[in-house]
Amino acid sequence: MSLVEFKDVYKIYKMGEVTINAVEGVSFNIEQGEFCVVVGASGAGKTTVLNILGGMDTCTKGSIIVGGRDISKLKDKQLIEYRRFDIGFVFQFYNLVQNLTVKENVELATQICKNPLDIDETIEAVGLSERSRNFPAQLSGGEQQRVAIARALVCDPEVILLDEPLGALDLKLRKSMQIELKEIQQNSQKTFIYVTHDQEEALTMSDTVIVMNNGVVEQVGSPEDIYNEPVNAFVADFIGEANILNGTMLGDCRVEILGKQLECVDKGFGENTPVDVVIRPEDIEITTPEKGQLAGTVVKSTFKGVHYEMSVMCGKCEILIHSTTSAEIGSQIGMRVIPFNIQIMNKLLPFYNNEIKVTVSSANEDENTFSFEFEDETIEVPNHYFKEGTKLKIILPPDALSLAGDGNGDLTDLYIESVIYKGEHNEIILESDTRKWLMLSDTDEQVATYVPLSFDFDKAKFEVLSDKED
């Protein structure tokens, strides 16, 4: 049995008439002694998961099993005891008592423990024996964080939860602490569950990575699996750098991208199926244009120390390459990728068009307009006329959607779920009250923000399903 099990967990917040699904159907298992990293952008739900597991919040639905006990059923005194004895917490800003020494800060935690570990041995385990008499102000940021870790370890909890504990440190110290924290976890054999938005931390320290987005778990796996075998474009884009291109699966082991047919190793997608194709920059070999599967023009080349980072325009599509050899800006090159390094995945949305079914609520033949009600909004359609009562299917291709610059869109307060660069443009997935929308944009937008959306009905296709005379 796993030490920690999340089973179909939901957390719903209600603020007046507004309902927020912070966590939706989250399920995963964590083994004893594992270093598990929960990673995601702001608003992904990772901190909510940590708070529920730490007993600081409760789930709306589902169960959380820790050490064989369902903590979602604990009440009052039992929940307090669980927080004190079974869980250790390490916060981003240390929460040390400034007028107490290192040893006194660790000792303070033992006052609420059942069977605390030896204080001096715990301080030694985090490498602070020589600093045990120092006060927090006399310590570096990394040393203060180690005191916070020792304070969690000394109570000998089953699970230690870490909420972005390295976020307040500078880059060099953060990288050093990643290695130290992993060593502390391995030496203590404790189960660490670590929340971060930093993809490098997720790959560097973890045994298991849980990738979250918009309240759901997108993928659970080892760092290698997450990086090399992402389940969708969101994971591929969020973890590491990637070329994510629109493609068509022609059949088993055959995909078309940028007008060229390439061999791959993936099967089971059917024939002529729209897919997302992921190629990591380091997996592209530079060759002559004649020998390349694809050819393009180098428009940028930057030396990164270990490799050159090059941007290559293949038609209108930008492709990123990491290579130990450089090509001159303006030169024509060929690009080759072995089949194993071409990853095929289903699209985040199973359609290109945004289809809605509506009924014409009012119409003006003289002005050549009509209106319909949708998601509590009245939307007016210019330059088109259908009589009142007509039932329509309206198909809005992705390029018919745009963010309303003046703030007054056809729909308001749509949630940006993901932004994925596809070489030519960003594919943006937005969520409204009843559905998700796919939009194309040449500008970057901020994930987990709310925006107004406008429709260009001149690009739409209208299909009459019935009129009121039927």
Side-chain angles (χ1 to χ4, degrees):
M1 179 185 293
S2 301
L3 178 63
V4 176
E5 298 178 73
F6 264 60
K7 297 182 179 180
D8 200 27
V9 173
Y10 287 75
K11 179 60 182 180
I12 301 171
Y13 295 100
K14 292 187 177 181
M15 295 175 286
E17 296 182 357
V18 178
T19 299
I20 299 175
N21 296 321
V23 169
E24 299 184 67
V26 167
S27 297
F28 59 79
N29 295 343
I30 300 173
E31 302 303 318
Q32 173 74 45
E34 195 169 44
F35 198 127
C36 176
V37 176
V38 184
V39 64
S42 297
K46 56 188 185 296
T47 298
T48 301
V49 165
L50 203 70
N51 288 339
I52 292 172
L53 180 56
M56 294 184 293
D57 204 345
T58 58
C59 63
T60 306
K61 177 185 174 183
S63 60
I64 305 100
I65 311 299
V66 179
R69 179 171 55 162
D70 189 347
I71 68 166
S72 64
K73 301 185 184 304
L74 299 182
K75 302 294 182 183
D76 303 330
K77 184 179 179 181
Q78 290 178 319
L79 191 59
I80 293 172
E81 290 179 349
Y82 167 75
R83 289 199 296 259
R84 283 184 176 179
F85 307 136
D86 299 331
I87 295 292
F89 236 109
V90 179
F91 299 95
Q92 181 174 344
F93 295 105
Y94 323 136
N95 291 347
L96 303 181
V97 180
Q98 295 300 308
N99 63 346
L100 298 182
T101 65
V102 168
K103 184 171 182 177
E104 289 168 342
N105 264 282
V106 177
E107 187 177 19
L108 187 65
T110 65
Q111 296 178 13
I112 59 171
C113 298
K114 281 184 178 178
N115 299 297
L117 302 177
D118 183 89
I119 296 170
D120 292 327
E121 290 181 1
T122 304
I123 293 173
E124 183 180 1
V126 297
L128 289 176
S129 293
E130 296 182 359
R131 309 283 274 169
S132 64
R133 295 183 180 181
N134 288 81
F135 293 93
Q138 298 172 309
L139 305 176
S140 68
E143 288 171 332
Q144 291 184 60
Q145 192 57 270
R146 279 186 272 169
V147 177
I149 294 167
R151 191 176 52 191
L153 286 170
V154 77
C155 289
D156 198 23
E158 291 190 82
V159 180
I160 294 180
L161 309 178
L162 304 99
D163 190 3
E164 304 205 42
L166 307 184
L169 306 180
D170 62 59
L171 179 61
K172 187 175 181 179
L173 184 54
R174 189 163 66 243
K175 288 179 177 294
S176 174
M177 279 300 297
Q178 289 172 10
I179 298 171
E180 290 186 23
L181 195 57
K182 179 64 175 177
E183 289 177 351
I184 290 170
Q185 184 270 332
Q186 289 176 332
N187 291 335
S188 68
Q189 291 297 299
K190 292 295 181 184
T191 302
F192 277 29
I193 302 176
Y194 185 108
V195 160
T196 184
H197 63 274
D198 190 307
Q199 303 95 315
E200 182 182 336
E201 286 184 359
L203 296 176
T204 299
M205 297 188 295
S206 64
D207 300 310
T208 298
V209 180
I210 299 172
V211 183
M212 292 193 67
N213 177 39
N214 199 30
V216 302
V217 171
E218 296 284 357
Q219 187 171 357
V220 179
S222 69
E224 293 83 1
D225 289 339
I226 296 292
Y227 187 82
N228 294 322
E229 297 289 342
V231 295
N232 57 38
F234 173 83
V235 176
D237 182 64
F238 190 77
I239 303 294
E241 294 186 278
N243 297 288
I244 305 175
L245 308 172
N246 291 318
T248 301
M249 202 67 180
L250 303 175
D252 286 349
C253 304
R254 201 74 180 166
V255 66
E256 181 178 300
I257 56 172
L258 301 174
K260 302 291 185 179
Q261 294 186 22
L262 279 71
E263 291 184 22
C264 59
V265 296
D266 295 275
K267 301 178 180 180
F269 287 85
E271 296 183 358
N272 299 316
T273 305
V275 292
D276 283 324
V277 181
V278 173
I279 303 174
R280 296 291 184 182
E282 65 271 19
D283 290 332
I284 300 176
E285 176 191 356
I286 297 176
T287 183
T288 62
E290 297 77 21
K291 294 182 179 180
Q293 298 158 308
L294 301 170
T297 303
V298 179
V299 295
K300 186 187 297 183
S301 180
T302 305
F303 181 57
K304 293 286 188 176
V306 178
H307 62 260
Y308 291 90
E309 182 175 279
M310 287 170 281
S311 293
V312 179
M313 294 305 298
C314 188
K316 295 182 179 180
C317 183
E318 180 184 14
I319 294 179
L320 188 68
I321 300 176
H322 291 169
S323 174
T324 54
T325 59
S326 180
E328 292 185 4
I329 294 175
S331 63
Q332 295 283 315
I333 64 168
M335 293 166 278
R336 295 192 61 81
V337 187
I338 64 173
F340 180 79
N341 288 330
I342 299 174
Q343 308 296 327
I344 309 298
M345 55 197 62
N346 291 311
K347 286 189 165 293
L348 285 172
L349 289 182
F351 51 83
Y352 282 116
N353 297 324
N354 305 293
E355 298 182 0
I356 55 175
K357 294 181 181 179
V358 301
T359 300
V360 176
S361 56
S362 64
N364 189 321
E365 188 171 6
D366 294 334
E367 295 183 5
N368 192 32
T369 64
F370 75 91
S371 300
F372 61 88
E373 306 295 324
F374 186 75
E375 294 192 357
D376 298 324
E377 302 278 358
T378 299
I379 299 177
E380 184 173 303
V381 182
N383 306 319
H384 296 83
Y385 171 78
F386 294 95
K387 63 185 177 180
E388 186 175 337
T390 303
K391 297 184 184 299
L392 297 172
K393 179 167 73 173
I394 304 176
I395 302 172
L396 290 151
D399 62 354
L401 277 60
S402 64
L403 303 186
D406 58 3
N408 297 313
D410 293 304
L411 296 177
T412 58
D413 292 334
L414 278 80
Y415 182 82
I416 298 182
E417 182 175 305
S418 68
V419 179
I420 297 174
Y421 183 56
K422 288 297 189 72
E424 297 180 62
H425 51 251
N426 289 310
E427 276 192 4
I428 300 177
I429 295 178
L430 308 103
E431 185 175 15
S432 64
D433 290 344
T434 61
R435 57 164 299 143
K436 294 183 180 181
W437 306 83
L438 179 64
M439 184 186 86
L440 306 183
S441 175
D442 293 328
T443 60
D444 289 328
E445 303 296 340
Q446 182 64 46
V447 174
T449 57
Y450 290 86
V451 294
L453 185 66
S454 292
F455 300 129
D456 183 352
F457 288 103
D458 288 336
K459 296 180 179 179
K461 177 182 177 182
F462 299 88
E463 180 181 331
V464 176
L465 301 178
S466 68
D467 57 42
K468 67 180 183 180
E469 294 180 355
D470 292 343

